[in-house]
Amino acid sequence: MTSGLEFRVTPATPVPAAERAKLIEDPGFGKLFTDHMVTIEWTEGKGWHDAELRPRAPFSLDPASAVLHYAQEIFEGMKAYRGRGGEITMFRPEQNARRFNESAARMAMPQIPEDLFLEAVEKIVAADRDWIPDGDGSLYLRPFMFSDEVFLGVRPAAHYIFCVIASPVGPYFKGGGKPVTIWVSDTYTRAATGGTGAAKCGGNYAGSLIAQAEAIRQGCDQVVFLDAAERRWVEELGGMNVFFVMDDGSIVTPPLGTILPGITRASLIELARADGVKVEEKPYSFDEWKADAESGRLREVFACGTAAVVAAIGKVRFVGGEFSIGDASTAGPVTQKLREALVGIQRGESNDERGWIRKIA
Ligand SMILES: *Cc1c(COP(=O)(O)O)cnc(C)c1O
């Protein structure tokens, strides 16, 4: 595939193979990076230019670069996998390209042609393919864009850098799939109607970190946010969508709007519905959650996203109490089945009926 923009290629001096192999044995999450990066620049009046695949290196930024002051920054998170047969694949990358542009629109940033986004991602995957761990690891790709115009006036910037870096990763949560505990924040919210909740922008994360820190202090793994208007409706975790499995087998998940439209979320909804499961995208309140957990109507809860895939939630803590879901120590059958169905497709181990897998040459 080509976007029409010529990529200048400057090969990196790679980390020696033996050292690389040792590094990716236990890569952790997001702390190890590959040899290359892709950068493409955008200038007002000129569009996208200077596409490069080059050695990963620090940026040199002027202290007045707009992103450092007004946070015009968006990103994506996606993975490349190495299948049993050695083939390299990605999961629905065109969805990430589309969402990236939706985030860009919300943040008054330029659109990047989807072909160019995909070409950039494929270029770094191909160049750094030896960094993809075997087994259940993968190569996490982080496309992002920020404004680096040197200007302190407040308006959309006139110059941006699009970049893709890659990080070999293992499981997001340590604990081998054991359910996580989450903290319900009654102090902080993540997004309001008309705000940036549906955009994948760094600013959303900046605003969520204090709540995440509170969750850790409360002995929890993650925070879950309620809506900003009423502090009543469950929205999502800091970086994952959430699903509720009822005793009649049906599933409820919060509707789109102020939450991030997860590709994992959309894929799981489609897989569950294809399996005859009733999935409702509808508001679900924290009060209902508590009552349904206590009555036993609620059987399973899980969070989902590219990084952690599907993570069971076993315990919920809030100001004034705590409750469990199921036996709180193992992922329930619906959570496990959906996780396996999705991972099977992502890893090329089951039939890709929906054309979700893209092979990287
Ligand atoms: C990225 C993200 C998700 C998950 O989206 P996926 O496309 O499934 O990875 C959920 N919530 C937030 C806030 C996110 O940033």
Side-chain angles (χ1 to χ4, degrees):
M1 164 188 321
T2 57
S3 58
L5 205 61
E6 201 60 50
F7 276 70
R8 185 153 40 133
V9 177
T10 313
T13 307
V15 170
E19 195 178 319
R20 184 183 59 229
K22 195 153 185 337
L23 285 169
I24 64 176
E25 258 172 36
D26 182 19
F29 194 94
K31 54 187 183 146
L32 189 65
F33 297 93
T34 63
D35 299 316
H36 294 89
M37 65 183 195
V38 166
T39 52
I40 314 177
E41 292 181 48
W42 186 90
T43 307
E44 196 167 66
K46 185 172 174 190
W48 293 100
H49 61 92
D50 285 288
E52 285 195 65
L53 173 73
R54 56 185 173 120
R56 205 181 91 84
F59 291 118
S60 166
L61 282 184
D62 189 282
S65 294
V67 67
L68 301 179
H69 305 272
Y70 308 127
Q72 256 192 312
E73 191 270 354
I74 58 169
F75 65 94
E76 271 302 323
M78 51 214 291
K79 283 175 171 173
Y81 308 88
R82 188 197 310 282
R84 281 198 211 290
E87 75 285 359
I88 294 173
T89 58
M90 297 197 64
F91 181 72
R92 310 188 76 181
E94 68 292 340
Q95 295 294 317
N96 297 90
R98 211 189 65 196
R99 186 171 67 189
F100 193 75
N101 279 330
E102 285 165 8
S103 300
R106 177 62 184 83
M107 305 305 284
M109 297 167 84
Q111 300 284 298
I112 180 165
E114 286 184 17
D115 280 359
L116 183 55
F117 178 100
L118 293 171
E119 192 179 359
V121 167
E122 289 184 12
K123 282 244 173 352
I124 188 168
V125 172
D128 290 338
R129 58 195 302 139
D130 292 340
W131 284 92
I132 307 177
D134 289 324
D136 53 5
S138 54
L139 188 64
Y140 184 80
L141 296 151
R142 170 51 60 87
F144 61 106
M145 171 168 47
F146 62 93
S147 52
D148 70 334
E149 183 185 355
V150 180
F151 180 57
L152 292 184
V154 180
R155 57 147 170 76
H159 191 269
Y160 296 88
I161 294 177
F162 170 82
C163 180
V164 191
I165 52 175
S167 172
V169 298
Y172 190 76
F173 291 115
K174 301 268 175 201
K178 253 194 63 199
V180 298
T181 301
I182 59 172
W183 170 250
V184 183
S185 180
D186 72 339
T187 313
Y188 305 108
T189 61
R190 179 184 167 276
T193 305
T196 58
K200 214 168 170 70
C201 60
N204 287 344
Y205 278 73
S208 77
L209 296 179
I210 189 169
Q212 175 63 23
E214 187 176 75
I216 301 291
R217 268 204 312 280
Q218 296 289 342
C220 299
D221 301 287
Q222 289 279 317
V223 60
V224 64
F225 290 100
L226 304 179
D227 76 291
E230 298 181 68
R231 306 288 174 98
R232 181 173 169 206
W233 306 104
V234 181
E235 297 233 305
E236 63 171 318
L237 278 56
M240 277 183 273
N241 297 117
V242 62
F243 283 71
F244 302 90
V245 183
M246 303 300 168
D247 59 355
D248 63 358
S250 69
I251 294 178
V252 174
T253 192
L256 298 181
T258 51
I259 65 170
L260 201 286
I263 296 161
T264 316
R265 174 187 179 279
S267 304
L268 290 173
I269 291 174
E270 201 171 325
L271 289 175
R273 284 184 179 152
D275 216 21
V277 174
K278 180 172 146 201
V279 183
E280 294 177 282
E281 299 177 68
K282 66 170 191 191
Y284 187 67
S285 70
F286 180 55
D287 288 337
E288 287 174 278
W289 186 357
K290 223 176 342 180
D292 289 343
E294 271 151 25
S295 73
R297 187 171 109 84
L298 178 66
R299 287 294 160 83
E300 305 174 34
V301 182
F302 62 86
C304 70
T306 297
V309 195
V310 172
I313 293 171
K315 259 192 217 160
V316 182
R317 279 195 193 142
F318 56 99
V319 172
E322 146 174 336
F323 59 86
S324 297
I325 296 133
D327 70 3
S329 62
T330 46
V334 176
T335 302
Q336 281 187 45
K337 190 174 174 201
L338 280 170
R339 170 184 248 280
E340 279 159 25
L342 183 64
V343 170
I345 297 169
Q346 289 175 335
R347 302 243 158 225
E349 280 152 21
S350 31
N351 203 354
D352 175 29
E353 286 168 29
R354 293 174 179 78
W356 283 351
I357 297 304
R358 186 188 192 93
K359 290 201 167 69
I360 309 295

